[in-house]
């Protein structure tokens, strides 16, 4: 049985999310082990990427440090954090091949990743293109959707007049002049790159007179259904005429910032709605995904005038150059519009907006030259490959399919140095990319032998294959590294070699529907035509006792180390908390929850102590009473035990861990402590030590201890400190069920 460990980032201290994830995996592994499976569980760590680079280096290092110096610091930080996390996971009693983890910065892993990259490239699944991407000015790199956090954000929204220079024949006669298209945008800074205004041909539009006639009146074109919502902004207004959207074809307007530039077109677009805005959409192909698609289809200018810092570049007028588009640049554009009399309204608009998941700063959409995985070409095959995959909970398949359906092509290149290099060379004159069987195979061999540092250490002539050495002066090596989601998404290529590159189970948090589950699926389908997993299990997030997300700023963070050491609960209470929670939903933890869990644990331990104490003089090889010689009460208890074991096995097999704990908690105080243990005390303490009635009871207690501890061994408890005899029994059960193999871990 192979449970493939999703690699946590080696960039911070262990937290309660780690506890939930690792203990759930451990419960699954223990159950499979005790059922006679040969267990394959190789823990892993994700060691590349921006999160670790940011933690390892100060901002000055990004500007002043050499790539190799930054990479050395990042590697050192990752290894230190890896060791911290590994010791914590072992302390929590988790089984695993801890001496042989997979690490994404191992040369073997990196070389396999490069091989997967090239296999996808050779199949046409990876390409280079100039397209809009999520860009983080604070990190100066492209980001994937999975690297974004959406937060409430306040934007400066504006209603802008776009002077119409040409209307369709029917519209021009009824509208009079001058007429403006009214456009609403929450990103005024993108108006510099405006190349069109989109309308919906299926909508009706109206020409509205706003302001006092003969005074500061303007005639504006808006969607008819938008008028009631715009009325408070218009003030005094009247509708002059209406016209169908189809009649706007061929209309032209003057750029609101550059009136002397050539006229720009009105273009049809089904994406235009009247739910907000004005029914007319400002279109900047360099700064929007839908805008880009329209721009490519209709041949619009795709030029981007924002640099990697998120500032206007030298392509714009001097007064805007070097201004941050998210602050001073935005205000400068608003000021220019106001000066030209083309601003109807400015207001604050609160909405959900993407932020860089690590720097916690807002991002922008910016067109750049990047490497992409063609998700559009893989979607159908990926969805088909999921037909044979079991999902738990079953509804989670909808999340995965939905995110596949809505996903754009995957930007897999990053403008950072701590990662696996994209093994590409560019011709200095033509800019043409060199990616061939020979060139990539040579780089792959170098990485396998020396690690990915060789890309920065070696000159181009050594990185190129021997047959191209004489041409080396004509080429330069690329500087992009691969997205860390491509790193972890390629893990099946290294870890699952012994299971035909398919795991029996992936088990991670629900956020991995857009992360590791998806990146693993896409790379596996592209490279080997199948999903890398047979079953996908998802769990919820850990919240505080009030159901709030844990945050240092709120002071509600619960630390695993604090639970174990300061509160003296040890790992047992933490593990029992995990196994007693309905992990498919968000899971809460608090002092009250821990106290209750500890009370439950003590009841279970007291039951086992009672069993151990009364079996001190019992030797199964000499004293075991056959079933036919047991009293009716003892037979009844064995029937209860049989029912318990059957139900426990079913619950473990169906991942119903919380129900299993509930079953255990019901059996211990009800059937055992309150009933059976109370009835048998006279036999145990008053009957002759060698009496048949006492030995009959001890036989039942022996079976109870054996099977009760066996069910506990695969679930919540590791039985440290006081119960040494119990630990011995559990170890013996695990050892015998594993066929005599030893299993590495700090608990049985």
């Amino acid at each position: 049985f192979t449970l493939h460990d999703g690699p946590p980032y080696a960039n911070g201290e262990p937290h309660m999310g780690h506890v939930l994830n690792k203990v759930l995996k451990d419960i699954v592994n223990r159950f499979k082990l005790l059922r006679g499976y040969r267990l394959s569980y190789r823990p892993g760590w994700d060691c590349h990427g921006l999160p670790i680079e940011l933690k390892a280096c100060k901002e000055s290092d990004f500007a002043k440090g050499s790539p190799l110096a930054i990479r050395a610091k990042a590697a050192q930080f990752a290894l230190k954090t890896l060791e911290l996390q590994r010791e914590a996971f072992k302390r929590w009693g988790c089984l695993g091949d801890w001496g042989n983890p997979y690490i994404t910065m191992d040369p073997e892993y990196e070389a396999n990743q490069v091989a997967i990259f090239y296999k996808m490239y050779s199949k046409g699944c990876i390409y280079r293109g100039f397209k809009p991407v999520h860009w983080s000015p604070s990190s100066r790199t492209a980001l994937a959707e999975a690297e974004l956090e959406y937060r409430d954000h306040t934007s400066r929204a504006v209603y802008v007049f776009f002077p119409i220079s040409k209307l369709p024949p029917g519209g021009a006669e009824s509208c009079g002049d001058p007429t403006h298209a009214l456009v609403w945008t929450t990103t005024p800074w993108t108006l510099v790159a405006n190349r069109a205004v989109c309308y919906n041909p299926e909508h009706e539009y109206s020409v509205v007179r706003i302001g006092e006639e003969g005074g500061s009146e303007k005639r504006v074109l808006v969607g008819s259904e938008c008028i009631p919502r715009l009325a408070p902004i218009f003030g005094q207004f009247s509708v002059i005429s209406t016209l169908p959207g189809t009649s706007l074809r061929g209309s032209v307007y003057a750029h609101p910032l550059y009136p002397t530039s050539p006229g720009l077109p009105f273009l049809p677009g089904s994406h235009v709605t009247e739910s907000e805005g004005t029914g007319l959409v400002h279109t900047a192909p360099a700064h929007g995904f839908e805008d880009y698609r329209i721009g490519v289809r209709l041949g619009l200018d795709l030029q981007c005038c924002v640099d990697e810092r998120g500032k206007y570049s030298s392509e714009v007028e001097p007064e805007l150059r070097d201004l941050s588009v998210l602050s001073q640049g935005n205000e400068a554009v608003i000021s220019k519009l106001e000066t030209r009399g083309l601003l109807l309204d400015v207001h604050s608009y609160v909405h959900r907006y993407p932020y860089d998941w690590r720097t916690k700063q807002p991002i922008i959409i910016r067109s750049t030259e990047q490497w992409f995985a063609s998700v559009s070409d893989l979607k159908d095959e990926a969805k088909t490959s999921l037909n044979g995959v079991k999902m738990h909970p079953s509804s989670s398949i909808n999340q995965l399919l939905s995110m596949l359906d809505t996903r754009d092509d995957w930007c897999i290149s990053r403008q950072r140095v701590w990662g696996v290099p994209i093994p590409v060379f560019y011709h200095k004159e033509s800019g043409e990319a060199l990616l061939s069987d020979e060139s990539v195979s040579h780089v792959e061999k170098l990485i396998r032998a020396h690690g990915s540092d060789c890309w920065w250490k070696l000159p181009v002539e050594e990185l190129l294959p021997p047959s191209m050495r004489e041409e080396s002066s004509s080429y330069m090596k690329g500087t992009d590294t691969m997205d860390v989601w491509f790193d972890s998404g390629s893990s099946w290529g290294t870890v699952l070699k012994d299971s035909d590159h398919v795991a029996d189970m992936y088990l991670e948090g629900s956020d991995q529907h857009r992360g590791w589950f998806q990146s693993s699926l896409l790379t596996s389908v592209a490279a080997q035509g199948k999903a890398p997993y047979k079953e996908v299990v998802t769990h919820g997030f850990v919240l505080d006792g009030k159901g709030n997300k844990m945050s240092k700023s709120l002071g509600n963070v619960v630390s695993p180390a604090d639970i174990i050491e300061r509160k003296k609960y040890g790992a047992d209470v933490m593990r029992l908390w995990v196994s007693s929670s309905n992990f498919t939903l968000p899971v809460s933890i608090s002092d009250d929850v821990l106290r209750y869990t500890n009370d439950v644990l003590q009841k279970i331990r007291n039951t086992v102590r009672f069993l151990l104490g009364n079996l001190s003089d019992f030797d199964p090889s000499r004293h075991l009473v056959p079933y036919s010689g047991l009293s009716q009460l003892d037979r009844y208890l064995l029937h209860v035990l049989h029912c318990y074991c059957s139900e426990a096995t079913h619950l473990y097999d169906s991942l119903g861990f919380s129900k299993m704990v509930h079953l255990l908690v019901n059996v211990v105080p009800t059937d055992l402590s309150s009933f059976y243990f109370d009835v048998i005390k006279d036999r145990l303490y008053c009957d002759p030590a060698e009496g048949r009635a006492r030995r009959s009871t001890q036989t039942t207690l022996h079976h109870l201890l054996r099977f009760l501890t066996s069910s506990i061994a695969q679930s919540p408890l590791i039985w440290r400190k006081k119960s040494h005899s119990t630990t011995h029994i559990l170890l013996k059960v695990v050892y015998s069920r594993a066929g005599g193999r030893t299993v590495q871990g700090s608990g049985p």
Side-chain angles (χ1 to χ4, degrees), residues 270-286:
S270 59
H271 67 289
V272 178
T273 69
E274 294 179 304
S275 59
E276 60 181 357
T278 66
L280 297 168
V281 175
H282 143 61
T283 302

Side-chain angles (χ1 to χ4, degrees), residues 287-512:
H287 300 294
F289 300 112
E290 188 65 41
D291 303 36
Y292 172 80
R293 284 188 280 270
I294 291 172
V296 170
R297 189 174 73 246
L298 299 175
L300 300 180
D301 179 13
L302 306 178
Q303 181 184 11
C304 177
C305 52
V306 177
D307 66 18
E308 71 279 0
R309 303 169 299 167
K311 296 182 177 182
Y312 285 121
S313 62
S314 58
E315 283 86 0
V316 303
E317 59 268 36
E319 58 264 37
L320 291 180
R321 289 175 194 167
D322 282 330
L323 296 182
S324 170
V325 298
L326 290 174
S327 53
Q328 305 102 314
N330 207 43
E331 293 304 314
V333 169
I334 294 173
S335 179
K336 288 189 70 172
L337 292 168
E338 191 170 21
T339 300
R340 299 201 66 238
L342 296 177
L343 205 58
L344 173 63
D345 181 67
V346 183
H347 59 279
S348 295
Y349 179 71
V350 179
H351 58 133
R352 301 293 286 176
Y353 190 86
Y355 277 63
D356 185 324
W357 68 331
R358 290 303 171 187
T359 64
K360 311 302 181 185
Q361 296 299 311
I363 62 101
I364 60 175
I365 296 174
R366 170 179 178 256
S367 288
T368 63
E369 199 81 52
Q370 300 287 342
W371 289 90
F372 296 89
S374 182
V375 177
S376 55
D377 293 336
L378 295 171
K379 282 182 182 179
D380 290 342
E381 190 177 357
K383 288 191 285 187
T384 300
S385 73
L386 291 173
N387 289 338
V389 176
K390 183 179 179 181
M391 307 291 290
H392 185 91
S394 58
S395 59
S396 63
I397 185 65
N398 298 325
Q399 289 179 268
L400 191 52
L401 291 174
S402 173
M403 290 178 179
L404 277 171
D405 281 332
T406 57
R407 180 165 188 166
D408 289 310
D409 284 359
W410 174 14
C411 178
I412 61 171
S413 50
R414 293 293 180 271
Q415 289 64 56
R416 307 304 306 190
V417 299
W418 180 230
V420 177
I422 293 179
V424 62
F425 301 88
Y426 299 102
H427 195 275
K428 291 180 179 178
E429 292 185 4
S430 67
E432 185 178 352
L434 171 64
L435 269 171
S436 66
D437 289 353
E438 188 181 16
S439 69
V440 176
S441 176
H442 183 66
V443 172
E444 181 188 331
K445 289 177 182 176
L446 289 173
I447 290 176
R448 201 176 297 276
H450 308 290
S452 59
D453 274 357
C454 68
W455 187 258
W456 286 267
K457 287 180 179 178
L458 300 178
V460 172
E461 54 265 30
E462 292 187 43
L463 291 170
L464 285 169
S467 64
M468 296 187 66
R469 294 271 166 88
E470 294 182 2
E471 304 174 58
S472 62
S473 60
S474 300
Y475 286 94
M476 59 183 180
K477 56 189 173 184
T479 58
D480 292 341
T481 55
M482 295 188 207
D483 174 19
V484 289
W485 291 105
F486 197 94
D487 285 22
S488 59
S490 304
S491 58
W492 54 265
T494 296
V495 183
L496 303 179
K497 286 183 176 180
D498 295 335
S499 57
D500 194 28
H501 294 122
V502 178
D504 291 293
M505 182 183 289
Y506 276 37
L507 192 163
E508 302 298 331
S510 57
D511 57 329
Q512 297 309 314

